[in-house]
Amino acid sequence: MALCGLGSSPSLERIEIKRCFSGKFSKITSKSSISIKRRSFLVHCSSSENKVVSSVDSKENVVSVEEESGHVMRFKMSDFKVLDRVSVGLAGRGDELVFEATVKDSSSSLYNTRVVLRRFTSAQAQRRGRRAIEVLKKLVHRRLLYHSYSMQVHGYVSSHTSSGRGSFTLVHGCHGSFSLRHWLQQADWLPTLEATLVLDEESVRKVGDDSVGGPAISRQLRLIRILMRDLLIGVNYLHSHGLAHTELRLENVHISPVDRHIKVGILGNAADFYEDGPSNNSVDNNIVRRQMMIAFDMRCVGFMMAKMVLRELMDPLIFMKFKSFFTKGNDPSCLREFLLQVLSRNSPSGNVGFQILDRNWGAGWNLLSLLLATKPSKRISCLDALRHPFLCGPRWRVVQSMDIIRWGLGSTAVRITEEYIYGLPQRDRLAHFIELLEMLNPHSKPKNWLEFLPGKWRLLYSTGRHIGLTLRQPPARVLIGDVHLTISRPTKLNTNLSLTSDIGFTVMMGQDWPHDKTGITGSLQVNSSFRLKAGRRLYLKEENTTEKLSLPQSNVRDILAQKLSGRNWRKAAPPFKEVPSSLPVAKLVSNDVDVTMNLGNPLNRNVDDARNVLLEVRTQIPPEMFDLSKFVCGTYVDSRLLVLRGVNGSALMFTRSCVNESCR
């Protein structure tokens, strides 16, 4: 097959046609009288050495993206020496052919430079290539930033085949052999990436860190901060110029060992925020379009961050479950609760990702929930993400918002409950965190509670008494499993709620129960209905109490004031000039209670055995979960945590659970 190339000068006064026959080139040069008007030329090359047919379309054409300029060069295939290998990180789509080559034209400024030739074989693919050149021309006034955060597009090769169809090849920079996905899949990815980025004390100061090295978790967190900040700066650069990337994936992102920046691709699918320019009459449509496109990019950044931190998500099957969590309507704030069930604690990474996201009061989970928020309007922007505590090192003093403070208090309380060490110091800390959450409750009106309450909640902790099996000889050895509280709203016409308490347990029959936890499974279900109304929780003053209700030395309000003046409480900076005498709560007014218990064989055949099991379950669980009418008010609620108070003053803390169990 003959290799044909078409080269022309900007004024199109000379047309140069090269034909190759059996390794020999023949050159035909012709003059044209055209001096001002630009015209398009179609050249047909036959296999015969004596026949060349050319046709000229005399229609005047507008300036196309193939126009040679100071920023985009037009090459010929003869300018390159194609290499016999292609890096694995350059894998293209089905309608792309990818080659690595070096520029052999000694007169070119790219002489001996390694480049990538990306040939687009379909019409849709060619539009992507031409779009990449259009984006370069749009961003050319900020060329330094463009080259720092995007693959550098050098130019293109455009020609016509013997069948009359056009061929378009994009020439862009080569930034190493691996994409970011391939880097993270290497066994020694952490030291290799650290060496590629040449991490030293000067470079880590750019992310607010103060040292290099250290434990593997600290090194990994530091590296993720560097990669995420560089990625967000690049994406923000596009957003600030009215462009959305639309194809942010680990496979499309490369790390340049030269300037140590993340390259976000060739921008062939970059989309404009404004279809007809920002001056279009439909301003509202443009605002909505811009918001949706930015939200789509931020969601993609969230998926990339999740894969960088949680290596298990590199598995396509696990990542499919991860994505189904969001498509089935679950709240991103309970992502940690979901992943605890999906990811095995004995995974190869040793749950390093969980430890990273749990640091700094769970700041990583907060950033992930904001990047992957269900509503596009709720997703965080690039600039706000760059100011987030998770991406700021210890040297930077970040002014935390009240939402971050609430999130941190709740995350720390959840971590303490997972330790299952309920000594006096832990119980005091949990009680303090719960009381402070109640004072910082963002939703005090019943209408807000009606929005957040419906869902499935898992019991984490109760400030009431805790009774186990160790120091007792009960008639039945019962191991309590998960305890859930499901709240539903039958109709939106009133404030009625339906509460269902589900208690799973195992009855251990053998004598070796301290080591063998197998046994007969059972469940206890309690149903009740409630009516929600506004109320207040009073802190009784000494002069307003009777002798029977007064405390010996100080009242509850004085104890709370002492706590708030302590060092640990002052860090949260609650917005109170003085301790309030009362706090708004959601009052719960209960109706009848219905109790149902299911037991497996053979316990379900003996009434006495069933009675002993029921008594033991009631002994171990908080009384409010068995008799729902003992709930009197709700004192804290958000998208992730719930605190309810019982009639005896004890607080029960819940975390939102995954509603769709099938997504696990």
Side-chain angles (χ1 to χ4, degrees):
M1 188 67 183
L3 174 65
C4 306
L6 174 63
S8 64
S9 64
S11 62
L12 295 181
E13 291 185 354
R14 291 177 61 86
I15 305 172
E16 183 177 271
I17 306 172
K18 288 186 178 181
R19 303 175 60 224
C20 176
F21 303 95
S22 304
K24 297 181 181 180
F25 283 90
S26 64
K27 187 175 181 180
I28 302 174
T29 305
S30 63
K31 292 275 188 178
S32 174
S33 59
I34 304 171
S35 58
I36 299 177
K37 295 183 179 180
R38 300 184 182 273
R39 307 177 187 275
S40 62
F41 295 82
L42 181 63
V43 180
H44 298 279
C45 300
S46 68
S47 58
S48 171
E49 194 170 342
N50 300 322
K51 183 178 180 182
V52 176
V53 181
S54 65
S55 65
V56 179
D57 183 6
S58 60
K59 282 189 177 182
E60 188 172 339
N61 210 348
V62 297
V63 179
S64 69
V65 297
E66 298 182 10
E67 175 189 358
E68 184 175 350
S69 67
H71 307 293
V72 181
M73 293 181 286
R74 182 167 184 171
F75 296 93
K76 302 185 293 291
M77 287 302 298
S78 58
D79 294 334
F80 304 102
K81 178 184 177 182
V82 179
L83 304 180
D84 58 355
R85 62 187 181 276
V86 178
S87 300
V88 66
L90 297 175
R93 301 186 179 188
D95 53 2
E96 296 178 2
L97 297 176
V98 182
F99 307 92
E100 283 191 49
T102 56
V103 180
K104 65 179 184 179
D105 183 6
S106 58
S107 62
S108 173
S109 59
L110 299 174
Y111 178 62
N112 273 343
T113 301
R114 177 174 289 193
V115 296
V116 177
L117 306 179
R118 192 175 294 269
R119 177 175 295 175
F120 302 100
T121 58
S122 67
Q124 183 179 5
Q126 290 182 15
R127 284 195 294 269
R128 291 199 304 268
R130 291 183 171 88
R131 176 59 177 168
I133 296 177
E134 290 178 8
V135 172
L136 171 60
K137 292 181 178 180
K138 184 173 183 178
L139 303 177
V140 73
H141 62 286
R142 298 288 298 277
R143 195 173 185 181
L144 180 60
L145 277 175
Y146 173 84
H147 290 164
S148 296
Y149 297 104
S150 174
M151 282 189 178
Q152 184 174 357
V153 176
H154 300 300
Y156 61 94
V157 179
S158 181
S159 60
H160 294 276
T161 62
S162 58
S163 61
R165 296 181 61 184
S167 172
F168 189 85
T169 302
L170 194 68
V171 182
H172 62 82
C174 182
H175 303 286
S177 302
F178 290 156
S179 67
L180 185 53
R181 179 183 181 87
H182 292 97
W183 278 113
L184 296 175
Q185 287 178 329
Q186 300 301 306
D188 57 346
W189 70 274
L190 182 58
T192 307
L193 266 183
E194 287 178 333
T196 303
L197 296 173
V198 195
L199 294 186
D200 53 16
E201 292 185 0
E202 180 62 29
S203 60
V204 299
R205 287 195 190 101
K206 296 179 181 179
V207 294
D209 216 325
D210 52 4
S211 62
V212 294
I217 294 179
S218 299
R219 293 166 56 198
Q220 194 166 329
L221 174 58
R222 186 183 302 120
L223 190 61
I224 289 172
R225 279 175 176 159
I226 292 174
L227 296 177
M228 281 296 298
R229 292 190 68 85
D230 218 33
L231 175 63
L232 287 167
I233 291 173
V235 176
N236 182 68
Y237 166 67
L238 294 177
H239 291 174
S240 62
H241 286 78
L243 293 169
H245 190 288
T246 73
E247 272 194 326
L248 285 167
R249 296 193 301 269
L250 292 180
E251 296 84 352
N252 296 336
V253 173
H254 293 73
I255 300 176
S256 172
V258 179
D259 60 7
R260 296 179 287 174
H261 278 303
I262 275 189
K263 310 298 180 182
V264 294
I266 58 176
L267 307 179
N269 264 359
D272 291 302
F273 289 161
Y274 311 108
E275 292 180 309
D276 303 322
S279 59
N280 188 25
N281 293 330
S282 56
V283 178
D284 293 338
N285 292 337
N286 281 334
I287 293 176
V288 174
R289 174 183 169 88
R290 178 180 184 275
Q291 185 184 67
M292 294 295 293
M293 296 177 79
I294 291 178
F296 181 81
D297 273 358
M298 300 312 295
R299 183 172 182 264
C300 294
V301 171
F303 285 142
M304 293 175 67
M305 174 183 164
K307 287 184 176 181
M308 280 191 276
V309 181
L310 300 164
R311 303 285 305 286
E312 298 90 344
L313 296 180
M314 291 290 187
D315 186 337
L317 294 178
I318 296 180
F319 186 68
M320 188 182 301
K321 292 182 179 180
F322 179 77
K323 292 188 70 175
S324 68
F325 171 82
F326 300 99
T327 57
K328 293 184 178 181
N330 293 289
D331 197 299
S333 61
C334 57
L335 181 61
R336 186 180 186 275
E337 176 77 7
F338 166 73
L339 290 176
L340 277 174
Q341 307 297 327
V342 174
L343 304 183
S344 172
R345 291 188 177 272
N346 298 321
S347 59
S349 65
N351 281 316
V352 174
F354 270 79
Q355 298 180 47
I356 291 175
L357 296 173
D358 284 337
R359 284 197 169 189
N360 300 328
W361 293 28
W365 296 108
N366 180 261
L367 179 57
L368 262 185
S369 68
L370 293 175
L371 288 170
L372 300 173
T374 305
K375 295 182 179 179
S377 59
K378 299 294 183 180
R379 288 180 198 153
I380 193 171
S381 66
C382 287
L383 290 178
D384 290 336
L386 287 168
R387 302 186 189 103
H388 195 276
F390 180 72
L391 298 181
C392 298
R395 291 176 62 93
W396 291 348
R397 301 188 65 179
V398 181
V399 179
Q400 298 184 357
S401 65
M402 192 56 62
D403 290 335
I404 295 292
I405 292 173
R406 294 188 191 100
W407 184 281
L409 290 171
S411 297
T412 306
V414 171
R415 290 295 309 281
I416 297 174
T417 62
E418 290 176 349
E419 294 174 358
Y420 297 107
I421 303 175
Y422 297 148
L424 185 58
Q426 288 83 359
R427 294 178 64 83
D428 287 342
R429 289 187 66 194
L430 280 169
H432 290 182
F433 282 129
I434 291 175
E435 288 173 2
L436 186 54
L437 281 173
E438 291 172 335
M439 296 193 68
L440 302 180
N441 180 26
H443 307 292
S444 57
K445 298 181 179 180
K447 65 177 182 180
N448 302 128
W449 282 75
L450 291 173
E451 176 185 354
F452 285 98
L453 272 179
K456 189 173 184 179
W457 303 86
R458 182 171 67 89
L459 178 64
L460 289 176
Y461 182 76
S462 171
T463 58
R465 63 176 184 172
H466 290 249
I467 301 176
L469 293 172
T470 307
L471 302 177
R472 297 187 300 117
Q473 296 293 328
R477 302 285 183 181
V478 177
L479 180 65
I480 303 296
D482 287 336
V483 179
H484 290 98
L485 181 66
T486 304
I487 303 176
S488 59
R489 190 178 179 188
T491 177
K492 294 185 178 181
L493 300 178
N494 50 45
T495 61
N496 291 341
L497 297 171
S498 175
L499 273 68
T500 301
S501 172
D502 290 294
I503 303 162
F505 57 87
T506 301
V507 183
M508 299 173 289
M509 304 299 294
Q511 297 296 323
D512 196 27
W513 63 268
H515 308 286
D516 185 8
K517 303 299 182 184
T518 59
I520 302 173
T521 60
S523 64
L524 179 67
Q525 188 177 88
V526 184
N527 298 296
S528 182
S529 59
F530 284 81
R531 183 164 46 88
L532 196 68
K533 57 189 297 187
R536 297 194 70 85
R537 183 187 177 199
L538 303 178
Y539 293 97
L540 301 178
K541 296 183 180 181
E542 189 173 357
E543 59 271 16
N544 294 336
T545 59
T546 63
E547 295 182 359
K548 294 183 180 180
L549 295 177
S550 61
L551 295 175
Q553 295 180 353
S554 60
N555 56 28
V556 176
R557 194 166 179 267
D558 294 334
I559 296 175
L560 189 59
Q562 184 178 0
K563 294 174 182 177
L564 290 176
S565 62
R567 182 180 60 182
N568 294 333
W569 292 86
R570 215 181 302 124
K571 289 181 180 179
F576 298 111
K577 295 182 180 179
E578 60 179 9
V579 180
S581 59
S582 63
L583 290 175
V585 296
K587 188 176 179 181
L588 297 170
V589 182
S590 66
N591 293 324
D592 296 335
V593 177
D594 182 25
V595 180
T596 305
M597 186 175 72
N598 296 316
L599 277 175
N601 288 325
L603 294 178
N604 58 0
R605 300 178 182 178
N606 191 309
V607 177
D608 293 334
D609 290 341
R611 184 186 298 111
N612 292 334
V613 170
L614 180 60
L615 291 175
E616 181 61 21
V617 171
R618 290 195 60 182
T619 302
Q620 293 191 43
I621 65 171
E624 293 83 2
M625 296 303 296
F626 181 79
D627 186 359
L628 296 178
S629 63
K630 293 184 180 295
F631 283 123
V632 293
C633 66
T635 54
Y636 181 86
V637 68
D638 61 16
S639 59
R640 183 179 55 144
L641 294 177
L642 170 67
V643 178
L644 300 179
R645 288 277 178 177
V647 68
N648 61 356
S650 61
L652 278 72
M653 185 171 69
F654 300 83
T655 182
R656 191 181 295 274
S657 183
C658 181
V659 176
N660 297 285
E661 299 291 337
S662 59
C663 67
R664 294 184 178 181

